[in-house]
Amino acid sequence: MSNAKLILEGKEYELPVVVGTEGEIAIDITKLRAQTGAITLDSGYGNTGSCKSAICFINGEKGILHYRGYPIEDLAENCSFPEVAYLVIYGDLPNKEQLEKFESDLRRHSLIREDMKKFYEGYPTAAHPMAVLSAMIGSLSTYYPDGDGEDLDLNIVRLLAKAPTIAAYAYKKMIGQPFMYPRNDLNYSENFLYMMFAVPTEEYQISPVFADALNLLLILHADHEQNCSTSTVRMVGSSQANLFSAISAGVGALWGPLHGGANQRVLEMLEMIRADGGNYKKYVDMAKDKNSGFRLMGFGHRVYKNYDPRARILKNMAEKVLAEVGKEDPLLEIAKKLEEVALSDEYFVERKLYPNVDFYSGIMYRAMGIPVNMFTVMFALGRIAGWIAHFKELREDPTARIYRPRQIYVGETNRKYVPLDQR
Ligand code: CMC
């Protein structure tokens, strides 16, 4: 493809064009400032490619999501989460031996240091589990110094193995129950459910439907290219900070309601609609009114301008999970109606606002007994795989530079200091 041309103040510049393997086109502006003195302005980075990456491909117009070239639908149907995490992090699906070793490593590293358990004593009972997750992951760097190659691989396994333990302990602390140690005879998803819901005084039966649903949720959340939290991880990693610090920052970024925090907000919104007599149309109208400050949580996406493929997969699984608990959830009914109304409303159609992954995940978590303030933690447990993959890709890229965007300054210029008594 030929170069792009830019005319600035009457002068013409040639800018190279980069084409990705899926035909995505980018104008390479790496030398723009050096050549022209100008920078680009792209608030929210909606048109900015911050890197070349081989991990995840999204076509938001068509509703396509691939991890390492595999369609999400195939992976969701056939894989375990550790298999997908391996794929995302190392680039290829593991063979039988590689998967067995990876799963066995994940089991062997799932305990956290006994003295780390004491950290939980210091957190208030009301602490949000995302705050605890971020702090505990950051604290792992005090135990495991960071390195490249083998050290990094070991820290990757540690992080993936310990994250569910850290998250489940945050929940146990919140409800005042004793921590349940991980069990090596269980798989990744079963183990998490066990650590969350088992108590020492009685037998706990792990529901295979819940374990499958959790496995699916983790897979669907594993990566989503350069979203806010992943870009944060890459941003921190670009200074060559250690893995745990970068991922801890990613957890913080994910927490916000416009990102991973939306799944919690979806459920709160559905509850609010139910408490208000189930009048969902009123809330659709409110979402359309810019002065109301209200948005339909779980709708819209920066990248998807079509149905989020993850939401489609989850909608089916949500039905199965609800069948397992054997009761109708009025919130699911409200969610379905809300979706129906919004999808046929001109405002939403015009703006291509479809349900996103968070729309159905909350209903599933709720049915599984996971409390609302743990929802974003669940998102994080899946996304850790993608964060790690991006951290590793950046670390291993010899051309990577520290992330350092520019700005257009619009503040005051050259003011003179005025002494305190004259202001
Ligand atoms: N309800 C009502 N109107 C909306 C909504 C919504 N949920 N989302 C976007 N709009 C409108 C928005 O007001 C704007 O209208 P106009 O063009 O008239 O000004 C237009 O649609 C474009 O929205 P935007 O805010 O410019 O889009 P964005 O790409 O900056 O924001 C978003 C994307 C996901 C933050 C936004 O759609 C939103 O706030 N959704 C609700 C929160 C949510 O569900 N977040 C989860 C995202 S998926 C999980 C993840 O990957 O993090």
Side-chain angles (χ1 to χ4, degrees):
M1 187 171 286
S2 56
N3 289 344
K5 287 199 169 81
L6 169 76
I7 299 170
L8 186 66
E9 293 182 318
K11 207 171 158 204
E12 189 173 299
Y13 300 91
E14 292 233 351
L15 298 167
V17 171
V18 179
V19 184
T21 52
E22 292 274 3
E24 289 173 302
I25 299 168
I27 299 166
D28 181 350
I29 56 157
T30 315
K31 301 218 164 75
L32 182 71
R33 190 168 162 275
Q35 285 176 347
T36 67
I39 61 166
T40 57
L41 183 62
D42 185 17
S43 148
Y45 306 132
N47 308 286
T48 296
S50 62
C51 60
K52 290 181 191 165
S53 177
I55 299 168
C56 182
F57 170 71
I58 303 172
N59 182 329
E61 306 301 325
K62 295 191 180 147
I64 291 174
L65 170 62
H66 290 175
Y67 297 162
R68 299 284 190 181
Y70 294 96
I72 189 67
E73 292 80 5
D74 272 7
L75 299 173
E77 171 102 32
N78 297 302
C79 293
S80 68
F81 174 67
E83 198 178 351
V84 169
Y86 187 102
L87 167 72
V88 169
I89 295 168
Y90 296 107
D92 290 305
L93 282 169
N95 62 28
K96 198 164 172 284
E97 274 162 32
Q98 287 167 328
L99 183 59
E100 273 169 18
K101 176 168 182 335
F102 191 56
E103 286 181 332
S104 142
D105 286 349
L106 290 181
R107 286 188 169 101
R108 281 196 316 114
H109 287 280
S110 58
L111 279 171
I112 60 168
R113 299 276 289 245
E114 283 297 293
D115 40 1
M116 278 194 94
K117 276 168 58 187
K118 297 205 184 82
F119 295 4
Y120 288 87
E121 289 166 22
Y123 298 126
T125 311
H128 196 288
M130 280 298 272
V132 176
L133 184 68
S134 176
M136 291 298 287
I137 288 177
S139 302
L140 288 174
S141 60
T142 64
Y143 291 89
Y144 309 110
D146 189 38
D148 290 324
E150 265 181 34
D151 286 352
L152 180 60
D153 279 340
L154 182 55
N155 279 349
I156 286 172
V157 165
R158 283 177 175 139
L159 179 54
L160 269 175
K162 293 177 200 311
T165 314
I166 289 172
Y169 283 10
Y171 172 64
K172 288 296 198 192
K173 155 82 191 190
M174 212 157 60
I175 59 169
Q177 283 185 2
F179 297 156
M180 299 298 287
Y181 284 119
R183 268 175 41 190
N184 284 1
D185 59 322
L186 299 176
N187 71 28
Y188 199 84
S189 307
E190 291 166 344
N191 207 11
F192 179 72
L193 292 173
Y194 170 79
M195 290 187 288
M196 283 283 288
F197 299 119
V199 284
T201 42
E202 58 190 57
E203 185 90 351
Y204 172 69
Q205 291 291 340
I206 301 164
S207 149
V209 175
F210 288 0
D212 279 358
L214 179 57
N215 183 59
L216 179 71
L217 283 155
L218 294 176
I219 290 173
L220 296 183
H221 284 94
D223 196 42
H224 215 232
E225 52 121 300
Q226 309 306 322
N227 55 83
C228 174
S229 57
T230 302
S231 298
T232 301
V233 169
R234 290 187 83 119
M235 173 74 83
V236 177
S238 79
S239 76
Q240 295 184 0
N242 67 72
L243 174 72
F244 303 115
S245 306
I247 305 290
S248 162
V251 173
L254 185 72
W255 191 2
L258 296 189
H259 190 10
N263 54 15
Q264 172 168 345
R265 298 297 175 97
V266 171
L267 213 87
E268 287 164 357
M269 175 188 77
L270 294 174
E271 293 273 18
M272 185 165 79
I273 298 175
R274 184 178 61 164
D276 197 15
N279 185 359
Y280 49 91
K281 287 192 181 135
K282 173 176 148 193
Y283 288 86
V284 172
D285 288 340
M286 251 165 78
K288 287 155 58 176
D289 175 5
K290 291 272 156 32
N291 298 323
S292 72
F294 174 79
R295 281 188 168 196
L296 275 195
M297 286 291 134
F299 271 79
H301 199 277
R302 171 61 63 82
V303 177
Y304 290 118
K305 300 303 169 199
N306 197 323
Y307 211 103
D308 180 338
R310 302 166 300 172
R312 206 187 296 280
I313 299 169
L314 279 186
K315 190 176 178 181
N316 294 337
M317 188 50 126
E319 309 266 1
K320 282 191 205 160
V321 169
L322 287 169
E324 168 80 356
V325 287
K327 56 176 186 209
E328 304 249 306
D329 185 342
L331 296 194
L332 182 66
E333 291 316 305
I334 295 176
K336 282 188 190 161
K337 284 182 184 146
L338 203 60
E339 177 183 346
E340 216 175 280
V341 171
L343 288 183
S344 57
D345 189 290
E346 202 180 313
Y347 174 96
F348 288 85
V349 174
E350 226 172 56
R351 290 169 180 76
K352 300 188 171 156
L353 300 171
Y354 294 87
N356 57 48
V357 68
D358 289 329
F359 194 62
Y360 286 106
S361 58
I363 290 169
M364 291 171 66
Y365 291 136
R366 192 170 104 111
M368 291 158 74
I370 294 169
V372 174
N373 64 359
M374 283 290 287
F375 287 3
T376 314
V377 171
M378 305 308 297
F379 188 156
L381 291 182
R383 186 55 54 85
I384 281 175
W387 289 335
I388 292 172
H390 284 271
F391 181 92
K392 184 169 154 66
E393 185 177 66
L394 183 84
R395 208 17 111 77
E396 291 169 356
D397 176 1
T399 65
R401 304 168 71 200
I402 188 164
Y403 280 25
R404 193 350 184 145
R406 297 236 165 209
Q407 63 166 20
I408 293 293
Y409 177 70
V410 294
E412 301 282 351
T413 59
N414 211 14
R415 296 209 276 188
K416 242 191 155 38
Y417 178 78
V418 182
L420 201 51
D421 58 357
Q422 292 170 33
R423 275 178 241 160

